[in-house]
Amino acid sequence: MKQSTIEKIDALLHRLADGKFHSGQTLATELGISRTAVWKMLQTIQSWEVPVYSITGRGYQVPGGLNLLCASQVEQSRERVLGASSQLLPRLKVLTSVSSTADYLAQHWQSHLGGLVCIAEHQSQGRGRKGRPWISPFAANLYFSMGFRVPLGLGALGGLSLVVGMSLAETINQIIGETENQSAHGNTQNQVKLKWPNDILFEQRKLAGILVEASGESQDASFLNIGVGINWNMQSEQAKSVDQPWVNLSELTQKRIPRSVVLGRLLARLEQSLNHYFSEGFQEFAQRWESISALYRQNVVIHTARESVCGVEDGIEANGALRVKVGTKTHTFHSGEVSLRKN
Ligand code: BTN
């Protein structure tokens, strides 16, 4: 899609964000395009799963309006935590729609050697782990990727995805704790957990996922592309193809905090955690594993490409590998899908 078309669609979305009716003619005049062009853009918006109602004589409406991301609000919220502008990720790009923020970074990182965060309202080909799709309806959730170079080889990056997951889970727990006033879930504080290696869960329902793609440029330099998707206010009909239980963050926070504010805060905390990890290593994070793990000391089954092993989750190694105790023996896993064993 041409950049000028995306800009017009963006302008159209900002007008419809108020949830009121807008006539096709008014929209066409305001955007400086024909009514047919408005209609075509509305088709595109609908294909992003934005519900657009049309009533003859009144025009078009997005019922309930749209809560759009605001780049300056993200920046301000990030700076409130970091205190100064970001060192690791100085550039922030908010896109209306993209195939995948991960792909965008992969294509553009060479022109942003200083580090770039790409945030999108919609992804047409969002990617999850193990080649699964990541459902990305417009303005329903949070989708972002952080791209930067580090002066470390891939071998020195054990535990990286756990650092990202722990930082997100701990920050989300803080936000929930601050906004809580006896929600339907009762005391939700500290109940967001991390399932090794990088699923963020609330009561065994998936809240967020992390996709880490690292390319080793040399023995002492790597480019990291860290993608995060967080369910915010996704509707059941938008998530029909999601094949596991899931939950929205907006359900867990009582007060309505804008998505942009939450996003800014998450980015700031992620940057702090990553800086700490790059300078001090994984040890301190490994010590916090017990309190954040969704399955610590529980009966689990882990499926790898070679085998399925039943045992008890027994923490993590200093390099981020998962320990599973089977009888008196401890096995360690560097990859695999772990889940709660019911019997
Ligand atoms: C998972 O399977 O749990 C990981 C999901 C990661 C999704 C995010 S959304 C932003 C970034 N862009 C993508 O295409 N994927 C990641």
Side-chain angles (χ1 to χ4, degrees), residues 156-226:
L157 295 172
L160 170 67
S161 72
L162 299 179
V163 169
V164 175
M166 289 175 80
S167 176
L168 286 170
E170 288 170 353
T171 311
I172 289 172
N173 277 328
Q174 274 169 12
I175 294 171
I176 293 172
E178 287 161 14
T179 62
E180 203 172 37
N181 61 28
Q182 284 320 298
S183 72
H185 295 284
N187 179 15
T188 49
Q189 199 169 4
N190 292 327
Q191 289 188 9
V192 168
K193 301 276 186 186
L194 182 61
K195 181 167 81 75
W196 186 92
N198 39 24
D199 277 351
I200 296 185
L201 307 179
F202 174 77
E203 294 178 347
Q204 306 300 332
R205 289 179 287 161
K206 184 144 169 171
L207 176 64
I210 300 156
L211 183 70
V212 176
E213 295 171 325
S215 40
E217 296 183 320
S218 67
Q219 294 228 323
D220 50 17
S222 308
F223 174 70
L224 299 177
N225 186 335
I226 302 175

Side-chain angles (χ1 to χ4, degrees), residues 98-103 118 120 123 125-136 142-145 198-200 206 208-213 225-230 244:
V98 70
S99 60
S100 152
T101 55
D103 293 347
C118 174
Q123 298 184 116
Q125 287 166 56
R127 295 192 272 114
R129 287 175 59 233
K130 307 218 180 288
R132 296 184 191 118
W134 187 259
I135 306 299
S136 310
L142 286 168
Y143 322 109
F144 63 94
S145 291
N198 39 24
D199 277 351
I200 296 185
K206 184 144 169 171
I210 300 156
L211 183 70
V212 176
E213 295 171 325
N225 186 335
I226 302 175
V228 177
I230 303 175
Q244 58 182 315

